[in-house]
């Protein structure tokens, strides 16, 4: 059934299963077996990369300056609206395969580059197709409130989402055409304010979606306090979170999904991982893969979390496995090697698991096997014996 049957010392397991026959046996002598990595925050369905904007950022343009000049999210929205479902599916599939080769076995995937009902649904259908046809776990997120569409005010966009998008989503959920897990809003100055964010998140919660949203990234917005109050499962970014917000999240058991790639690429101040951990917040990690932060690799994310956010390697591994699974409401089935949990594993070609973090960008020659539901989905031809 794709779940782990037993975990324990080799000789005990050998005796327990002495009479069993196996389709395949992997010799892991001198290697490490880890839980499959969980990427708790990605935007992987879109057309229109923003490689040209990277040069602008390097020259000193801020995220909001590019956004206001018609770049950023709006540039990608324009291209995503024009792309066919087939084009979006093919690029998405290719990105998921790259994530899987880097050890991710469960990925949170957002819509959010449509901003109109038709394109948002097109993106969610693409995510649904991948869920059904690919050997990788997907938690899907409706993120129609990723930005205010051109020609609308934030209030008009909020009304459109609540009155049109969410009822349609509920209808498609009930008919089984798509299965959406989370609702997301970009709560930010000049995007969706606290009042609009509250309305959208509550409306999403009312149709059975988990709250998992962008907050306190570029400006302190009291997003963390709002999330704790609404019973959010997770809040992402939090570079500008308040002390009160951290306390509220710890109390509400609301996970903080920290995104070291974003702070690194946009030269923002780093999220306060240490303070959060000390106060008892459940800290998870995500790659934030999107046209602004083009990173598929959770091992690189863990490395950046250790160096820039001062997390220990143990904390980073927990944040990229069991805690990231918790942020998606899946920690009872994913994120650790335990009997009864889904058989998602990564085997690395080293006798010390820390190499996965220590070798910055080295995962391509280090990850030997990736296993999803007990099935080998990736075997690395390049891994000889170390």
């Amino acid at each position: 059934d794709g779940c782990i049957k037993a975990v324990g010392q080799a000789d005990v397991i050998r005796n327990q299963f002495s009479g069993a026959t196996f389709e395949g046996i992997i010799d892991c002598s001198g290697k490490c077996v880890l839980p499959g990595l969980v990427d708790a925050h990605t935007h992987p369905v879109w057309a229109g990369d923003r490689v040209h904007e990277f040069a602008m950022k390097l020259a000193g343009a801020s995220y909001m300056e590019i956004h206001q000049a018609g770049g950023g999210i709006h540039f990608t929205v324009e291209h995503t609206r024009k792309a066919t479902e087939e084009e979006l599916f093919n690029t998405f599939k290719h990105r998921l395969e790259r994530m899987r080769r880097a050890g991710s076995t469960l990925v949170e995937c957002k819509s959010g580059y449509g901003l109109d009902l038709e394109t948002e649904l097109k993106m969610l259908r693409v995510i649904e197709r991948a869920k059904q046809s690919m050997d990788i776990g997907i938690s899907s997120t409706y993120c129609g409130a990723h930005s205010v569409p051109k020609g609308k005010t934030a209030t008009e966009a909020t009304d459109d989402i609540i009155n049109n998008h969410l009822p349609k989503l509920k209808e498609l959920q009930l008919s089984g055409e798509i299965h959406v897990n989370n609702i997301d809003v970009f709560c930010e100055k000049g995007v969706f304010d606290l009042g609009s964010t509250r309305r959208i998140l509550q409306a999403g919660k009312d149709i059975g979606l988990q709250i998992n949203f962008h907050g306190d990234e570029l400006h302190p917005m009291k997003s963390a306090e709002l999330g704790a109050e609404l019973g959010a499962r997770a809040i992402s970014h939090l570079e500008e979170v308040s002390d009160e917000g951290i306390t509220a999240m710890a109390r509400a058991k609301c996970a903080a999904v920290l995104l070291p790639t974003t702070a690194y690429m946009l030269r923002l101040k780093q999220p306060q991982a240490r303070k959060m951990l000390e106060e008892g917040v459940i800290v998870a990690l995500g790659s934030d893969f999107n046209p602004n932060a083009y990173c598929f690799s959770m091992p690189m994310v863990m490395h950046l979390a250790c160096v820039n956010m001062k997390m220990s390697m143990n904390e980073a591994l927990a944040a990229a496995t069991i805690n990231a699974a918790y942020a998606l409401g899946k920690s009872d089935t994913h994120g650790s090697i335990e009997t009864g949990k889904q058989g998602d594993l990564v085997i690395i070609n080293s006798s010390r698991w820390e190499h996965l973090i220590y070798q910055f960008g080295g995962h391509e020659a280090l990850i030997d096997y990736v296993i999803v539901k007990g099935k080998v989905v990736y075997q690395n031809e390049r891994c000889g014996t170390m």
Side-chain angles (χ1 to χ4, degrees):
D1 59 2
C3 294
I4 296 170
K5 197 77 183 162
V7 179
Q9 295 296 333
D11 50 354
V12 177
I13 298 280
R14 273 199 195 96
N15 291 337
Q16 193 183 337
F17 293 93
S18 57
T21 53
F22 297 92
E23 276 174 37
I25 293 174
I26 299 172
D27 183 358
C28 297
S29 311
K31 299 183 181 185
C32 282
V33 183
L34 293 166
L37 303 178
V38 180
D39 190 340
H41 183 123
T42 79
H43 300 258
V45 183
W46 46 267
D49 73 36
R50 308 209 290 265
V51 65
H52 58 289
E53 287 178 14
F54 189 48
M56 292 162 73
K57 278 192 222 97
L58 297 178
S62 77
Y63 178 85
M64 284 318 266
E65 281 165 0
I66 292 170
H67 187 74
Q68 278 147 7
I73 291 172
H74 292 304
F75 177 85
T76 305
V77 166
E78 213 174 294
H79 286 76
T80 307
R81 283 178 177 177
K82 287 177 192 160
T84 66
E85 198 169 309
E86 207 54 41
E87 285 166 343
L88 289 175
F89 178 71
N90 288 332
T91 51
F92 175 43
K93 195 175 149 200
H94 174 68
R95 288 164 192 160
L96 282 176
E97 282 164 359
R98 284 182 69 177
M99 288 175 183
R100 201 169 58 181
R101 288 202 295 272
S104 292
T105 56
L106 173 60
V107 180
E108 184 264 3
C109 300
K110 302 177 192 294
S111 69
Y113 291 114
L115 310 184
D116 59 23
L117 181 56
E118 188 192 338
T119 318
E120 288 295 312
L121 291 177
K122 177 170 70 174
M123 295 178 77
L124 291 169
R125 279 197 302 271
V126 163
I127 295 170
E128 189 64 35
R129 265 180 78 181
K131 259 190 194 182
Q132 306 302 337
S133 64
M134 287 186 73
D135 291 313
I136 187 166
I138 292 174
S139 175
S140 78
T141 301
Y142 163 74
C143 187
H146 194 198
S147 183
V148 178
K150 284 180 180 172
K152 274 196 169 83
T153 64
T155 307
E156 287 166 345
T158 301
D159 291 341
D160 183 34
I161 287 167
I162 292 168
N163 301 328
N164 301 313
H165 291 214
L166 291 174
K168 185 67 184 168
L169 212 54
K170 185 182 176 182
E171 183 192 312
L172 294 170
Q173 293 257 71
L174 289 171
S175 69
E177 279 176 67
I178 51 177
H179 305 86
V180 179
N181 305 98
N182 318 287
I183 178 128
D184 191 352
V185 176
F186 187 15
C187 181
E188 185 54 73
K189 193 174 167 185
V191 192
F192 290 92
D193 65 11
L194 213 59
S196 298
T197 301
R198 175 192 294 277
R199 288 180 60 209
I200 296 168
L201 294 176
Q202 186 59 56
K205 188 179 178 178
D206 291 345
I207 64 162
L209 302 178
Q210 290 183 131
I211 296 176
N212 187 333
F213 71 111
H214 291 61
D216 296 329
E217 179 185 357
L218 306 170
H219 299 91
M221 298 286 292
K222 294 204 182 307
S223 302
E225 291 90 326
L226 174 69
E229 182 200 324
L230 292 177
R233 172 52 71 159
I235 305 170
S236 291
H237 283 291
L238 301 164
E239 287 86 351
E240 297 287 344
V241 69
S242 68
D243 291 351
E244 296 77 15
I246 291 176
T247 306
M249 285 180 73
R251 204 175 292 134
K253 292 192 165 44
C254 171
V257 179
L258 305 184
L259 309 167
T261 51
T262 317
Y264 165 73
M265 302 232 192
L266 295 178
R267 297 171 175 156
L268 304 174
K269 73 176 187 197
Q270 296 289 329
Q272 302 176 65
R274 284 262 50 88
K275 184 173 168 59
M276 291 180 194
L277 288 160
E278 278 150 24
E279 294 216 12
V281 175
I282 297 160
V283 172
L285 290 170
S287 67
D288 196 17
F289 172 78
N290 75 76
N292 176 55
Y294 208 102
C295 175
F296 294 107
S297 164
M298 284 305 288
M300 287 179 90
V301 168
M302 289 190 281
H303 179 100
L304 288 172
C306 293
V307 175
N308 291 340
M309 299 191 329
K310 303 182 170 59
M311 290 173 76
S312 71
M313 288 193 281
N314 288 4
E315 287 166 344
L317 182 65
T321 52
I322 191 72
N323 291 3
Y326 174 87
L328 304 176
K330 289 185 180 284
S331 53
D332 52 343
T333 51
H334 294 71
S336 59
I337 301 174
E338 294 180 72
T339 303
K341 281 198 170 184
Q342 192 166 297
D344 291 3
L345 306 165
V346 174
I347 299 170
I348 67 164
N349 204 6
S350 167
S351 58
R352 290 192 58 155
W353 70 266
E354 291 93 339
H355 270 274
L356 195 59
I357 296 177
Y358 164 65
Q359 293 189 21
F360 188 45
H363 66 264
E364 289 188 356
L366 191 63
I367 292 177
D368 211 348
Y369 292 88
V370 178
I371 294 165
V372 174
K373 288 189 182 171
K375 175 179 165 190
V376 174
V377 293
Y378 170 63
Q379 184 177 352
N380 192 346
E381 301 302 323
R382 274 186 271 190
C383 270
T385 45
M386 232 176 177

